[in-house]
Amino acid sequence: MHYEPLLRVLEPHVRSLRGAVLDVGCGMQPYRRWMRDEVVYTGLDREGPLSRPDVVGTVDALPFDDGSFDGLLSTQVFEHVGEPVAALRECARVLRPGGRIVITVPGVWPAHEVPYDYWRFTRYGVERVLADAGFVDSEVAAAGGFWASVGQMVNLEIQRGRFARDLVPLVNVCASWLDRRGASEEMALAWVATATRSEARA
Ligand SMILES: C[S@@+](CC[C@H](N)C(=O)[O-])C[C@H]1O[C@@H](n2cnc3c(N)ncnc32)[C@H](O)[C@@H]1O
């Protein structure tokens, strides 16, 4: 369940990226398949068993000149970054003025990749870190609302073997139905944000 709402909200934003696109913390490059044919894609990550970077590096010191990219994608990375605003400023630096950033961050999720899991974000936290880093016109969308969040936490417990696993699909159906009835989006499994790199440096 966790990925279905995220994929649904994220896909059109990834498909809208153009030109030279940097995927920061690309992991296994799961969203490269959605990039347009004309996109020149570069995936950056640290080396590791779960990453397939074209360029090895970290978001704190991106090995690119100012304004090198038209678009930047970074999915489920900033919760692992000690100084998210500084890292986003570095993203802004390598984007051309007017370039687009697309990021996703978890709202509700247990600690993972411990101890390198530092933050959970609210909608307003995402808007704040983007603004502080020099991005404008941010739009933040919930991927999975209140009931998806509750249902996913229940399912994680089920999958740990504490309850009957047959209940997982039932929980998913109930959570989706409840969210569709207009549940609060102030609690979300993940946030998908887009913004524009301002003309001025932050
Ligand atoms: C949860 S995985 C997400 C991978 C991929 N973006 C995805 O959505 O499937 C987090 C990724 O962020 C990378 N990462 C964590 N801290 C980083 C940093 N400071 N600089 C660059 N990548 C980082 C990790 O190596 C890992 O590949």
Side-chain angles (χ1 to χ4, degrees), residues 56 65 104 126 146 196:
V56 174
D65 292 338
T104 75
V126 179
F146 177 87
T196 302

Side-chain angles (χ1 to χ4, degrees), residues 72-111:
L72 191 146
L73 174 69
S74 189
T75 55
Q76 311 298 91
V77 173
F78 287 98
E79 74 272 27
H80 301 293
V81 173
E83 305 281 351
V85 173
L88 281 163
R89 277 203 190 108
E90 184 63 356
C91 293
R93 182 187 68 75
V94 302
L95 271 175
R96 66 167 171 77
R100 297 286 294 162
I101 188 169
V102 177
I103 65 168
T104 75
V105 290
V108 177
W109 197 254

Side-chain angles (χ1 to χ4, degrees), residues 141-202:
F146 177 87
W147 289 108
S149 305
V150 171
Q152 182 61 48
M153 295 308 106
V154 171
N155 279 345
L156 286 174
E157 282 305 292
I158 290 173
Q159 283 157 349
R160 284 191 192 109
R162 304 205 178 172
F163 307 103
R165 284 166 191 249
D166 299 348
L167 289 175
V168 168
L170 180 64
V171 173
N172 284 342
V173 168
C174 292
S176 299
W177 184 78
L178 287 162
D179 268 346
R180 279 200 305 276
R181 288 172 63 88
S184 166
E185 288 194 343
E186 295 309 306
M187 187 163 106
L189 271 177
W191 301 103
V192 178
T194 64
T196 302
R197 196 266 212 207
S198 71
E199 300 294 325
R201 289 287 294 277

Side-chain angles (χ1 to χ4, degrees), residues 23-27 30-31 44-46 50-51 57-60 75-77 79-81 112-113:
D23 185 354
V24 173
C26 62
Y31 306 118
L44 173 137
D45 208 322
R46 302 182 291 209
L50 295 178
S51 66
T58 71
V59 67
D60 323 280
T75 55
Q76 311 298 91
V77 173
E79 74 272 27
H80 301 293
V81 173
H112 55 285
E113 298 179 23

Side-chain angles (χ1 to χ4, degrees), residues 10-69:
L10 178 61
E11 180 173 354
H13 294 301
V14 174
R15 289 190 185 280
S16 75
L17 293 170
R18 290 181 161 77
V21 174
L22 178 64
D23 185 354
V24 173
C26 62
M28 301 300 280
Q29 305 187 352
Y31 306 118
R32 187 173 188 165
R33 65 199 155 101
W34 287 341
M35 301 274 174
R36 294 158 174 261
D37 289 345
E38 53 100 0
V39 162
V40 179
Y41 173 95
T42 304
L44 173 137
D45 208 322
R46 302 182 291 209
E47 281 180 308
L50 295 178
S51 66
R52 198 170 61 203
D54 304 306
V55 175
V56 174
T58 71
V59 67
D60 323 280
L62 295 170
F64 305 104
D65 292 338
D66 295 2
S68 297
F69 295 94

